[in-house]
Amino acid sequence: MTSARRGNPVLLGFAGLAGLLVILELLPRLGLVKDRYLPPASRIVAALADEAGTAAFWRALGDTLYAWAIGLLIAVAAGVLAGLVIGSVPVLRALTASTVEFLRPIPSVALIPLAVLLYGTRLGSTLLLVCYAAFWQVLVQVLYGVADVDPVAEETARSYRFSTWGRVRYVLWPTALPYVFTGVRLAASVALVLAITAELVIGAPGLGKEIATAQNSDAVPTMYALIVVTGALGVLINLLTRTGERRLLAWHQSVRGEVAI
Amino acid sequence: MRRRLIAGLALAVVASTVAACGSDKDSSGSGGSSGGVDKVKVGVIPIIDVAPLYLGQSKGFFKNRNIELTMEAGQGGAAIVPGVVSGEFQFGFSNLTSLMIAQTKNVPIKAVAAGVASTNAQGKDFGAVVVKAGSPIKTAKDLAGKKVSVNTLKNIGDTVTRESVRKAGGDPSNIQFVEMPFPNMQAALEKGDIDAAWVVEPQLSTIKAAGGREVASTFVDAAPNLTIAAYFTSQKLLSENADLAKRFTEAVNESLTYADGHPDEVRQVLSTYTKIDEKTRAAVVLPKWPVEINKTSAQTLAELGTKDGIFASAPDLNKLLP
């Protein structure tokens, strides 16, 4: 029963993907869209194979992943630390609430001119945008996590004279951890979006820049091939963070509950 | 007490990571020399025009003069002039109209080498105004009152297009110029969003291959042997490191001459920094790469631009050109 249920979605997923590819192959071939603007899937795949044979493609992929990983790492570290500190000191929380609410909705892409002024077309530009966008995702989740600490557990820990570190380690952290992971998962996707955007718009090295170059070179199939790569990257990153979350939170009710249902 | 200490420590860590977030390791930037070799960054647009630079680099023309060259290819030229002024790039590539606009705004820059020039052959240049197959527009004269796309408004594209219309006996005053990136122009033409497009290679070849028709070789119409773009640097670098500027100019000149004499190698080097496919690479019209900036043509461009109101005041070419 359960194995059939698990097997089917995968099969269905592949069938869906195959269907999409067939549609993408037929649309231009039947003349419903111009193949110059949307080439058939087979030509996109061929262009992808060509790209995979070039060193430039792998370098660009590496650049994108590097900017994504470094940006995410910094954002998560800063977000978790800031969240724990702000969340556990009520005065700080009250002090920063309006500032956070003011800064958080600023779309990272609005900072592109600033990034260009500061770092030109270098890695720093991408990092600035990635960090800014990902930081808030983590921070806000951690703040919720800290606020979710059970007051009874907290009081119990206090009455047993747990040290500050002990309370953070045994009460605060386990409560906040699922929220942290939600934050990381959201931040991981947002970081990829911003990394590609920065490369596409600013021209910082990476897949986004390759897409722009393909567009400027009238290499339409190559452009689509690179877009497919960014999509696949998004799926991979999502899978990775979900798997990581499930593994590391295997003890937590939210994950155990997911399995039981 | 202890709680406050921990909070303080954590805050300090946050502050430092946030600061690190923005920092960048390879912020050398200022073109410092190490072991007698100058590191030089050139701001370029990754198009056919700058092929000599890539070719010259692979031939060692820059290395021979103790220049370690890197090309910073951003999207669009808008960042290049500010990049050169701020020292992010030591040199830059830009069309003459943009450089003249900068000059009239007293931006401290100066051209150091020729960039790219028209082929001077009607119907066989690397930039032109095109229309789609079956368009009622036959000559440049018919462009009067029509919608024409250019990559940047109030720049070289509308100036030379107006001149083509004027020379064909039309009235250029009521052309509606629309700004859009070159790669979008073919679709806009075919959908009828615009009546004509001012394009350069490789889009010119692509549009022609799809049945588009050329109505004006705008660079040829504007002036004989028009110099379109140039390499430039900041006045600061010129006064502080005149020797580097001199070596850069020599290396660029050698590259330009080599590129002009070896079109096959130019088409080959395109594959290293663009994604233009092989068929298009073989078909594109290559520009000319003379070593001299044609001052007469630059003067014409300045006068035309002044007439169009692109410049706040007439550009001073003596200050701008070498």
Side-chain angles (χ1 to χ4, degrees), chain A residues 34 36-37 51 66 74 81-82 85 88 119 121-122 124 131 158 209-210 212 215-219, chain B residues 3 10 13-14 17 21-22 24-25 27 72-73 75 88 183-184 186-187 190 203 206 274-276:
Chain A
K34 286 204 166 189
R36 149 129 183 85
Y37 304 131
E51 272 299 297
Y66 182 74
I74 294 168
L81 274 171
V85 171
S88 49
Y119 301 110
T121 57
R122 282 177 282 136
C131 287
R158 274 182 198 279
K209 183 184 171 185
E210 297 291 302
Q215 192 199 12
N216 283 331
S217 306
D218 272 350
Chain B
R3 180 173 168 174
V13 176
V14 170
T17 39
C21 185
D24 192 357
K25 273 168 280 169
S27 58
E72 288 273 337
Q75 292 305 316
E88 168 94 14
N184 299 3
Q186 185 179 11
E190 288 178 2
Q203 280 79 26
T206 321
T274 74
K275 291 187 189 294
I276 303 174

mmCIF file of all heavy atoms in Angstrom, chain A residues 34 36-37 51 66 74 81-82 85 88 119 121-122 124 131 158 209-210 212 215-219, chain B residues 3 10 13-14 17 21-22 24-25 27 72-73 75 88 183-184 186-187 190 203 206 274-276:
data_model
loop_
_atom_site.group_PDB
_atom_site.id
_atom_site.type_symbol
_atom_site.label_atom_id
_atom_site.label_comp_id
_atom_site.label_asym_id
_atom_site.label_seq_id
_atom_site.Cartn_x
_atom_site.Cartn_y
_atom_site.Cartn_z
ATOM 1 N N LYS A 34 6.361 30.520 -33.072
ATOM 2 C CA LYS A 34 7.496 30.558 -33.997
ATOM 3 C C LYS A 34 8.688 29.832 -33.377
ATOM 4 O O LYS A 34 9.024 30.084 -32.215
ATOM 5 C CB LYS A 34 7.881 32.012 -34.266
ATOM 6 C CG LYS A 34 6.905 32.700 -35.173
ATOM 7 C CD LYS A 34 7.590 33.858 -35.867
ATOM 8 C CE LYS A 34 6.718 34.331 -37.015
ATOM 9 N NZ LYS A 34 7.392 35.293 -37.854
ATOM 10 N N ARG A 36 11.632 30.249 -33.882
ATOM 11 C CA ARG A 36 12.753 31.139 -33.593
ATOM 12 C C ARG A 36 12.657 31.652 -32.155
ATOM 13 O O ARG A 36 13.650 31.893 -31.494
ATOM 14 C CB ARG A 36 12.746 32.276 -34.599
ATOM 15 C CG ARG A 36 13.271 33.567 -34.110
ATOM 16 C CD ARG A 36 14.329 34.203 -34.990
ATOM 17 N NE ARG A 36 14.788 35.424 -34.319
ATOM 18 C CZ ARG A 36 15.728 35.441 -33.403
ATOM 19 N NH1 ARG A 36 16.385 34.364 -33.096
ATOM 20 N NH2 ARG A 36 16.056 36.563 -32.808
ATOM 21 N N TYR A 37 11.421 31.814 -31.661
ATOM 22 C CA TYR A 37 11.259 32.343 -30.306
ATOM 23 C C TYR A 37 11.119 31.236 -29.267
ATOM 24 O O TYR A 37 11.453 31.435 -28.118
ATOM 25 C CB TYR A 37 10.049 33.278 -30.253
ATOM 26 C CG TYR A 37 10.143 34.387 -31.266
ATOM 27 C CD1 TYR A 37 9.100 34.712 -32.117
ATOM 28 C CD2 TYR A 37 11.334 35.103 -31.391
ATOM 29 C CE1 TYR A 37 9.226 35.724 -33.054
ATOM 30 C CE2 TYR A 37 11.475 36.108 -32.327
ATOM 31 C CZ TYR A 37 10.418 36.412 -33.162
ATOM 32 O OH TYR A 37 10.552 37.403 -34.093
ATOM 33 N N GLU A 51 26.378 22.879 -24.661
ATOM 34 C CA GLU A 51 26.830 23.722 -23.561
ATOM 35 C C GLU A 51 27.614 22.908 -22.540
ATOM 36 O O GLU A 51 28.654 23.335 -22.052
ATOM 37 C CB GLU A 51 25.629 24.377 -22.870
ATOM 38 C CG GLU A 51 25.199 25.673 -23.476
ATOM 39 C CD GLU A 51 26.290 26.729 -23.427
ATOM 40 O OE1 GLU A 51 26.696 27.108 -22.329
ATOM 41 O OE2 GLU A 51 26.730 27.159 -24.503
ATOM 42 N N TYR A 66 28.709 28.941 -6.199
ATOM 43 C CA TYR A 66 29.590 29.538 -5.194
ATOM 44 C C TYR A 66 28.913 30.765 -4.570
ATOM 45 O O TYR A 66 28.823 30.870 -3.346
ATOM 46 C CB TYR A 66 30.919 29.917 -5.849
ATOM 47 C CG TYR A 66 31.936 30.490 -4.900
ATOM 48 C CD1 TYR A 66 32.595 29.673 -3.994
ATOM 49 C CD2 TYR A 66 32.249 31.850 -4.914
ATOM 50 C CE1 TYR A 66 33.535 30.193 -3.121
ATOM 51 C CE2 TYR A 66 33.178 32.387 -4.055
ATOM 52 C CZ TYR A 66 33.821 31.556 -3.148
ATOM 53 O OH TYR A 66 34.744 32.078 -2.288
ATOM 54 N N ILE A 74 26.302 33.065 4.765
ATOM 55 C CA ILE A 74 26.408 34.308 5.525
ATOM 56 C C ILE A 74 25.026 34.725 6.031
ATOM 57 O O ILE A 74 24.859 35.086 7.199
ATOM 58 C CB ILE A 74 27.005 35.423 4.642
ATOM 59 C CG1 ILE A 74 28.451 35.067 4.282
ATOM 60 C CG2 ILE A 74 26.959 36.758 5.359
ATOM 61 C CD1 ILE A 74 29.043 35.940 3.204
ATOM 62 N N LEU A 81 21.842 34.077 14.294
ATOM 63 C CA LEU A 81 22.402 34.782 15.440
ATOM 64 C C LEU A 81 21.545 35.997 15.806
ATOM 65 O O LEU A 81 21.149 36.168 16.959
ATOM 66 C CB LEU A 81 23.830 35.229 15.130
ATOM 67 C CG LEU A 81 24.898 34.177 15.412
ATOM 68 C CD1 LEU A 81 26.236 34.634 14.877
ATOM 69 C CD2 LEU A 81 24.989 33.933 16.913
ATOM 70 N N ALA A 82 21.245 36.801 14.797
ATOM 71 C CA ALA A 82 20.460 38.009 15.050
ATOM 72 C C ALA A 82 19.084 37.632 15.588
ATOM 73 O O ALA A 82 18.569 38.257 16.516
ATOM 74 C CB ALA A 82 20.327 38.835 13.770
ATOM 75 N N VAL A 85 19.309 36.495 19.275
ATOM 76 C CA VAL A 85 19.591 37.616 20.176
ATOM 77 C C VAL A 85 18.374 38.526 20.285
ATOM 78 O O VAL A 85 17.892 38.816 21.385
ATOM 79 C CB VAL A 85 20.815 38.407 19.670
ATOM 80 C CG1 VAL A 85 20.967 39.692 20.483
ATOM 81 C CG2 VAL A 85 22.063 37.547 19.768
ATOM 82 N N SER A 88 15.337 36.819 21.985
ATOM 83 C CA SER A 88 15.351 36.479 23.410
ATOM 84 C C SER A 88 15.500 37.706 24.306
ATOM 85 O O SER A 88 15.396 37.593 25.512
ATOM 86 C CB SER A 88 16.462 35.457 23.698
ATOM 87 O OG SER A 88 17.658 35.884 23.126
ATOM 88 N N TYR A 119 30.310 47.443 -6.079
ATOM 89 C CA TYR A 119 31.161 46.320 -6.477
ATOM 90 C C TYR A 119 31.254 46.116 -7.980
ATOM 91 O O TYR A 119 31.865 45.152 -8.424
ATOM 92 C CB TYR A 119 30.652 45.024 -5.833
ATOM 93 C CG TYR A 119 30.634 45.082 -4.348
ATOM 94 C CD1 TYR A 119 29.431 45.130 -3.656
ATOM 95 C CD2 TYR A 119 31.824 45.125 -3.619
ATOM 96 C CE1 TYR A 119 29.407 45.218 -2.275
ATOM 97 C CE2 TYR A 119 31.804 45.205 -2.245
ATOM 98 C CZ TYR A 119 30.594 45.245 -1.582
ATOM 99 O OH TYR A 119 30.575 45.333 -0.226
ATOM 100 N N THR A 121 30.815 44.754 -11.469
ATOM 101 C CA THR A 121 30.262 43.483 -11.939
ATOM 102 C C THR A 121 30.895 42.303 -11.216
ATOM 103 O O THR A 121 30.863 41.187 -11.690
ATOM 104 C CB THR A 121 30.501 43.327 -13.445
ATOM 105 O OG1 THR A 121 31.901 43.424 -13.690
ATOM 106 C CG2 THR A 121 29.784 44.378 -14.243
ATOM 107 N N ARG A 122 31.484 42.552 -10.055
ATOM 108 C CA ARG A 122 32.180 41.469 -9.370
ATOM 109 C C ARG A 122 31.236 40.636 -8.504
ATOM 110 O O ARG A 122 30.061 40.945 -8.360
ATOM 111 C CB ARG A 122 33.305 42.042 -8.505
ATOM 112 C CG ARG A 122 34.525 42.422 -9.340
ATOM 113 C CD ARG A 122 35.592 43.059 -8.496
ATOM 114 N NE ARG A 122 35.282 44.454 -8.205
ATOM 115 C CZ ARG A 122 35.413 45.011 -7.006
ATOM 116 N NH1 ARG A 122 35.816 44.284 -5.990
ATOM 117 N NH2 ARG A 122 35.112 46.272 -6.827
ATOM 118 N N GLY A 124 30.954 40.493 -5.396
ATOM 119 C CA GLY A 124 30.363 41.259 -4.304
ATOM 120 C C GLY A 124 28.948 41.722 -4.603
ATOM 121 O O GLY A 124 28.087 41.737 -3.722
ATOM 122 N N CYS A 131 22.601 38.003 0.044
ATOM 123 C CA CYS A 131 22.591 38.114 1.509
ATOM 124 C C CYS A 131 21.370 38.887 1.972
ATOM 125 O O CYS A 131 20.687 38.480 2.900
ATOM 126 C CB CYS A 131 23.837 38.848 2.009
ATOM 127 S SG CYS A 131 25.322 37.882 1.893
ATOM 128 N N ARG A 158 14.340 27.458 34.236
ATOM 129 C CA ARG A 158 14.831 28.487 35.154
ATOM 130 C C ARG A 158 14.830 27.983 36.602
ATOM 131 O O ARG A 158 15.794 28.177 37.336
ATOM 132 C CB ARG A 158 13.945 29.730 35.079
ATOM 133 C CG ARG A 158 14.363 30.682 33.984
ATOM 134 C CD ARG A 158 13.453 31.918 34.001
ATOM 135 N NE ARG A 158 13.542 32.635 32.746
ATOM 136 C CZ ARG A 158 14.528 33.469 32.470
ATOM 137 N NH1 ARG A 158 15.494 33.684 33.357
ATOM 138 N NH2 ARG A 158 14.563 34.081 31.300
ATOM 139 N N LYS A 209 24.571 35.456 -16.393
ATOM 140 C CA LYS A 209 25.331 36.193 -17.400
ATOM 141 C C LYS A 209 25.396 35.407 -18.709
ATOM 142 O O LYS A 209 25.310 35.982 -19.795
ATOM 143 C CB LYS A 209 26.737 36.464 -16.872
ATOM 144 C CG LYS A 209 27.567 37.286 -17.819
ATOM 145 C CD LYS A 209 28.962 37.436 -17.270
ATOM 146 C CE LYS A 209 29.875 38.058 -18.290
ATOM 147 N NZ LYS A 209 31.241 38.079 -17.785
ATOM 148 N N GLU A 210 25.531 34.076 -18.584
ATOM 149 C CA GLU A 210 25.553 33.240 -19.790
ATOM 150 C C GLU A 210 24.224 33.343 -20.539
ATOM 151 O O GLU A 210 24.197 33.369 -21.768
ATOM 152 C CB GLU A 210 25.833 31.771 -19.421
ATOM 153 C CG GLU A 210 27.189 31.536 -18.772
ATOM 154 C CD GLU A 210 28.324 31.751 -19.746
ATOM 155 O OE1 GLU A 210 28.364 31.083 -20.796
ATOM 156 O OE2 GLU A 210 29.174 32.620 -19.467
ATOM 157 N N ALA A 212 22.256 35.937 -20.546
ATOM 158 C CA ALA A 212 22.252 37.244 -21.201
ATOM 159 C C ALA A 212 23.142 37.228 -22.444
ATOM 160 O O ALA A 212 22.784 37.791 -23.480
ATOM 161 C CB ALA A 212 22.724 38.320 -20.221
ATOM 162 N N GLN A 215 21.391 35.503 -25.183
ATOM 163 C CA GLN A 215 20.348 36.372 -25.739
ATOM 164 C C GLN A 215 20.963 37.402 -26.682
ATOM 165 O O GLN A 215 20.487 37.602 -27.789
ATOM 166 C CB GLN A 215 19.600 37.056 -24.605
ATOM 167 C CG GLN A 215 18.336 37.744 -25.081
ATOM 168 C CD GLN A 215 17.836 38.791 -24.110
ATOM 169 O OE1 GLN A 215 18.528 39.179 -23.181
ATOM 170 N NE2 GLN A 215 16.635 39.265 -24.345
ATOM 171 N N ASN A 216 22.054 38.028 -26.244
ATOM 172 C CA ASN A 216 22.717 39.030 -27.084
ATOM 173 C C ASN A 216 23.293 38.423 -28.351
ATOM 174 O O ASN A 216 23.506 39.119 -29.328
ATOM 175 C CB ASN A 216 23.844 39.714 -26.304
ATOM 176 C CG ASN A 216 23.291 40.739 -25.335
ATOM 177 O OD1 ASN A 216 22.245 41.320 -25.583
ATOM 178 N ND2 ASN A 216 23.981 40.934 -24.235
ATOM 179 N N SER A 217 23.600 37.129 -28.308
ATOM 180 C CA SER A 217 24.204 36.466 -29.458
ATOM 181 C C SER A 217 23.150 35.832 -30.357
ATOM 182 O O SER A 217 23.498 35.118 -31.285
ATOM 183 C CB SER A 217 25.190 35.392 -29.001
ATOM 184 O OG SER A 217 26.139 35.925 -28.128
ATOM 185 N N ASP A 218 21.875 36.066 -30.057
ATOM 186 C CA ASP A 218 20.798 35.456 -30.839
ATOM 187 C C ASP A 218 20.828 33.939 -30.797
ATOM 188 O O ASP A 218 20.360 33.277 -31.717
ATOM 189 C CB ASP A 218 20.850 35.915 -32.308
ATOM 190 C CG ASP A 218 20.058 37.205 -32.483
ATOM 191 O OD1 ASP A 218 19.358 37.582 -31.540
ATOM 192 O OD2 ASP A 218 20.146 37.814 -33.564
ATOM 193 N N ALA A 219 21.421 33.374 -29.745
ATOM 194 C CA ALA A 219 21.502 31.915 -29.618
ATOM 195 C C ALA A 219 20.302 31.459 -28.788
ATOM 196 O O ALA A 219 20.428 31.137 -27.609
ATOM 197 C CB ALA A 219 22.808 31.503 -28.963
ATOM 198 N N ARG B 3 23.890 36.867 30.714
ATOM 199 C CA ARG B 3 23.000 36.860 29.562
ATOM 200 C C ARG B 3 23.303 38.045 28.648
ATOM 201 O O ARG B 3 23.384 37.932 27.448
ATOM 202 C CB ARG B 3 21.564 36.942 30.081
ATOM 203 C CG ARG B 3 20.556 36.944 28.991
ATOM 204 C CD ARG B 3 19.204 36.840 29.618
ATOM 205 N NE ARG B 3 18.166 37.121 28.668
ATOM 206 C CZ ARG B 3 16.881 36.975 28.940
ATOM 207 N NH1 ARG B 3 16.511 36.567 30.131
ATOM 208 N NH2 ARG B 3 15.990 37.247 28.044
ATOM 209 N N ALA B 10 27.170 37.882 20.746
ATOM 210 C CA ALA B 10 26.461 37.403 19.554
ATOM 211 C C ALA B 10 26.215 38.558 18.586
ATOM 212 O O ALA B 10 26.374 38.432 17.380
ATOM 213 C CB ALA B 10 25.142 36.765 19.957
ATOM 214 N N VAL B 13 29.241 39.292 16.624
ATOM 215 C CA VAL B 13 29.452 38.309 15.561
ATOM 216 C C VAL B 13 28.537 38.614 14.382
ATOM 217 O O VAL B 13 28.954 38.595 13.228
ATOM 218 C CB VAL B 13 29.200 36.874 16.085
ATOM 219 C CG1 VAL B 13 29.337 35.878 14.941
ATOM 220 C CG2 VAL B 13 30.182 36.542 17.197
ATOM 221 N N VAL B 14 27.268 38.933 14.694
ATOM 222 C CA VAL B 14 26.316 39.259 13.634
ATOM 223 C C VAL B 14 26.831 40.442 12.825
ATOM 224 O O VAL B 14 26.888 40.419 11.601
ATOM 225 C CB VAL B 14 24.932 39.607 14.223
ATOM 226 C CG1 VAL B 14 24.028 40.170 13.139
ATOM 227 C CG2 VAL B 14 24.313 38.375 14.840
ATOM 228 N N THR B 17 29.652 39.423 10.580
ATOM 229 C CA THR B 17 29.269 38.598 9.419
ATOM 230 C C THR B 17 28.516 39.434 8.400
ATOM 231 O O THR B 17 28.708 39.275 7.209
ATOM 232 C CB THR B 17 28.389 37.394 9.811
ATOM 233 O OG1 THR B 17 27.501 37.788 10.815
ATOM 234 C CG2 THR B 17 29.188 36.202 10.221
ATOM 235 N N CYS B 21 29.539 40.035 4.642
ATOM 236 C CA CYS B 21 28.589 39.744 3.580
ATOM 237 C C CYS B 21 28.822 40.627 2.373
ATOM 238 O O CYS B 21 28.781 40.195 1.236
ATOM 239 C CB CYS B 21 27.181 39.978 4.117
ATOM 240 S SG CYS B 21 25.894 39.527 3.002
ATOM 241 N N GLY B 22 29.086 41.909 2.646
ATOM 242 C CA GLY B 22 29.253 42.823 1.534
ATOM 243 C C GLY B 22 30.672 42.850 0.990
ATOM 244 O O GLY B 22 30.893 43.267 -0.128
ATOM 245 N N ASP B 24 34.435 41.896 -0.394
ATOM 246 C CA ASP B 24 34.788 41.135 -1.592
ATOM 247 C C ASP B 24 36.293 40.946 -1.594
ATOM 248 O O ASP B 24 37.047 41.871 -1.378
ATOM 249 C CB ASP B 24 34.344 41.921 -2.815
ATOM 250 C CG ASP B 24 34.402 41.069 -4.059
ATOM 251 O OD1 ASP B 24 34.845 39.910 -3.952
ATOM 252 O OD2 ASP B 24 34.010 41.571 -5.116
ATOM 253 N N LYS B 25 36.678 39.709 -1.855
ATOM 254 C CA LYS B 25 38.099 39.407 -1.734
ATOM 255 C C LYS B 25 38.958 40.074 -2.807
ATOM 256 O O LYS B 25 39.955 40.679 -2.513
ATOM 257 C CB LYS B 25 38.301 37.878 -1.774
ATOM 258 C CG LYS B 25 38.166 37.252 -0.388
ATOM 259 C CD LYS B 25 38.077 35.745 -0.481
ATOM 260 C CE LYS B 25 36.686 35.306 -0.848
ATOM 261 N NZ LYS B 25 36.564 33.915 -1.198
ATOM 262 N N SER B 27 39.288 42.736 -4.449
ATOM 263 C CA SER B 27 38.989 44.140 -4.690
ATOM 264 C C SER B 27 40.260 44.922 -5.010
ATOM 265 O O SER B 27 40.457 46.018 -4.539
ATOM 266 C CB SER B 27 38.286 44.736 -3.481
ATOM 267 O OG SER B 27 39.099 44.589 -2.343
ATOM 268 N N GLU B 72 36.163 42.940 -18.458
ATOM 269 C CA GLU B 72 34.986 42.879 -17.604
ATOM 270 C C GLU B 72 33.799 43.182 -18.496
ATOM 271 O O GLU B 72 33.555 44.331 -18.861
ATOM 272 C CB GLU B 72 35.080 43.916 -16.486
ATOM 273 C CG GLU B 72 36.102 43.564 -15.432
ATOM 274 C CD GLU B 72 35.520 42.673 -14.342
ATOM 275 O OE1 GLU B 72 34.282 42.688 -14.163
ATOM 276 O OE2 GLU B 72 36.296 41.970 -13.690
ATOM 277 N N ALA B 73 33.078 42.135 -18.862
ATOM 278 C CA ALA B 73 31.983 42.321 -19.794
ATOM 279 C C ALA B 73 30.675 42.421 -19.047
ATOM 280 O O ALA B 73 30.132 41.431 -18.593
ATOM 281 C CB ALA B 73 31.952 41.164 -20.790
ATOM 282 N N GLN B 75 26.582 43.960 -18.782
ATOM 283 C CA GLN B 75 25.456 44.112 -19.695
ATOM 284 C C GLN B 75 25.258 45.593 -19.971
ATOM 285 O O GLN B 75 24.990 46.362 -19.075
ATOM 286 C CB GLN B 75 24.191 43.512 -19.093
ATOM 287 C CG GLN B 75 24.232 42.018 -18.955
ATOM 288 C CD GLN B 75 24.534 41.345 -20.274
ATOM 289 O OE1 GLN B 75 23.997 41.695 -21.302
ATOM 290 N NE2 GLN B 75 25.423 40.360 -20.247
ATOM 291 N N GLU B 88 37.364 51.381 -11.138
ATOM 292 C CA GLU B 88 36.987 49.963 -11.196
ATOM 293 C C GLU B 88 37.620 49.314 -12.437
ATOM 294 O O GLU B 88 38.141 48.213 -12.376
ATOM 295 C CB GLU B 88 35.465 49.873 -11.277
ATOM 296 C CG GLU B 88 34.904 48.515 -11.628
ATOM 297 C CD GLU B 88 34.557 47.739 -10.383
ATOM 298 O OE1 GLU B 88 34.505 48.340 -9.293
ATOM 299 O OE2 GLU B 88 34.331 46.543 -10.499
ATOM 300 N N PRO B 183 18.314 42.379 -28.914
ATOM 301 C CA PRO B 183 17.728 41.041 -29.149
ATOM 302 C C PRO B 183 16.196 41.045 -29.221
ATOM 303 O O PRO B 183 15.608 40.097 -29.723
ATOM 304 C CB PRO B 183 18.204 40.219 -27.949
ATOM 305 C CG PRO B 183 19.372 40.943 -27.418
ATOM 306 C CD PRO B 183 19.116 42.396 -27.692
ATOM 307 N N ASN B 184 15.542 42.090 -28.712
ATOM 308 C CA ASN B 184 14.076 42.111 -28.716
ATOM 309 C C ASN B 184 13.495 42.678 -30.005
ATOM 310 O O ASN B 184 12.289 42.637 -30.224
ATOM 311 C CB ASN B 184 13.550 42.972 -27.559
ATOM 312 C CG ASN B 184 13.965 42.436 -26.215
ATOM 313 O OD1 ASN B 184 14.696 41.448 -26.150
ATOM 314 N ND2 ASN B 184 13.541 43.066 -25.153
ATOM 315 N N GLN B 186 13.706 42.005 -33.268
ATOM 316 C CA GLN B 186 13.107 41.182 -34.329
ATOM 317 C C GLN B 186 11.652 40.853 -34.008
ATOM 318 O O GLN B 186 10.773 40.993 -34.859
ATOM 319 C CB GLN B 186 13.907 39.890 -34.525
ATOM 320 C CG GLN B 186 13.367 39.094 -35.702
ATOM 321 C CD GLN B 186 14.141 37.809 -35.942
ATOM 322 O OE1 GLN B 186 14.955 37.399 -35.132
ATOM 323 N NE2 GLN B 186 13.862 37.164 -37.061
ATOM 324 N N ALA B 187 11.415 40.426 -32.770
ATOM 325 C CA ALA B 187 10.047 40.080 -32.378
ATOM 326 C C ALA B 187 9.138 41.304 -32.472
ATOM 327 O O ALA B 187 8.002 41.216 -32.953
ATOM 328 C CB ALA B 187 10.040 39.518 -30.958
ATOM 329 N N GLU B 190 8.279 41.982 -36.092
ATOM 330 C CA GLU B 190 7.337 41.029 -36.680
ATOM 331 C C GLU B 190 5.935 41.187 -36.115
ATOM 332 O O GLU B 190 4.952 40.938 -36.796
ATOM 333 C CB GLU B 190 7.865 39.599 -36.495
ATOM 334 C CG GLU B 190 9.060 39.368 -37.413
ATOM 335 C CD GLU B 190 9.694 37.999 -37.274
ATOM 336 O OE1 GLU B 190 9.180 37.189 -36.481
ATOM 337 O OE2 GLU B 190 10.701 37.768 -37.948
ATOM 338 N N GLN B 203 22.359 40.749 -34.699
ATOM 339 C CA GLN B 203 20.912 40.810 -34.946
ATOM 340 C C GLN B 203 20.613 41.217 -36.381
ATOM 341 O O GLN B 203 19.614 40.788 -36.959
ATOM 342 C CB GLN B 203 20.248 41.790 -33.970
ATOM 343 C CG GLN B 203 20.008 41.215 -32.584
ATOM 344 C CD GLN B 203 21.256 41.198 -31.724
ATOM 345 O OE1 GLN B 203 22.158 41.999 -31.929
ATOM 346 N NE2 GLN B 203 21.332 40.277 -30.786
ATOM 347 N N THR B 206 20.605 38.114 -38.428
ATOM 348 C CA THR B 206 19.468 37.257 -38.079
ATOM 349 C C THR B 206 18.187 37.787 -38.706
ATOM 350 O O THR B 206 17.391 37.027 -39.255
ATOM 351 C CB THR B 206 19.288 37.201 -36.545
ATOM 352 O OG1 THR B 206 20.561 37.154 -35.945
ATOM 353 C CG2 THR B 206 18.474 36.008 -36.137
ATOM 354 N N THR B 274 31.259 35.088 -26.993
ATOM 355 C CA THR B 274 29.838 35.228 -27.289
ATOM 356 C C THR B 274 29.298 33.820 -27.540
ATOM 357 O O THR B 274 30.052 32.862 -27.525
ATOM 358 C CB THR B 274 29.578 36.078 -28.551
ATOM 359 O OG1 THR B 274 29.914 35.295 -29.698
ATOM 360 C CG2 THR B 274 30.394 37.344 -28.558
ATOM 361 N N LYS B 275 27.995 33.718 -27.764
ATOM 362 C CA LYS B 275 27.411 32.415 -28.085
ATOM 363 C C LYS B 275 26.815 32.439 -29.484
ATOM 364 O O LYS B 275 25.893 31.693 -29.803
ATOM 365 C CB LYS B 275 26.352 32.047 -27.050
ATOM 366 C CG LYS B 275 26.940 31.758 -25.692
ATOM 367 C CD LYS B 275 25.899 31.244 -24.730
ATOM 368 C CE LYS B 275 26.438 31.152 -23.329
ATOM 369 N NZ LYS B 275 27.500 30.145 -23.199
ATOM 370 N N ILE B 276 27.356 33.320 -30.322
ATOM 371 C CA ILE B 276 26.870 33.403 -31.699
ATOM 372 C C ILE B 276 27.184 32.068 -32.391
ATOM 373 O O ILE B 276 28.323 31.612 -32.353
ATOM 374 C CB ILE B 276 27.554 34.559 -32.445
ATOM 375 C CG1 ILE B 276 27.323 35.867 -31.691
ATOM 376 C CG2 ILE B 276 27.054 34.653 -33.878
ATOM 377 C CD1 ILE B 276 28.064 37.047 -32.264
#
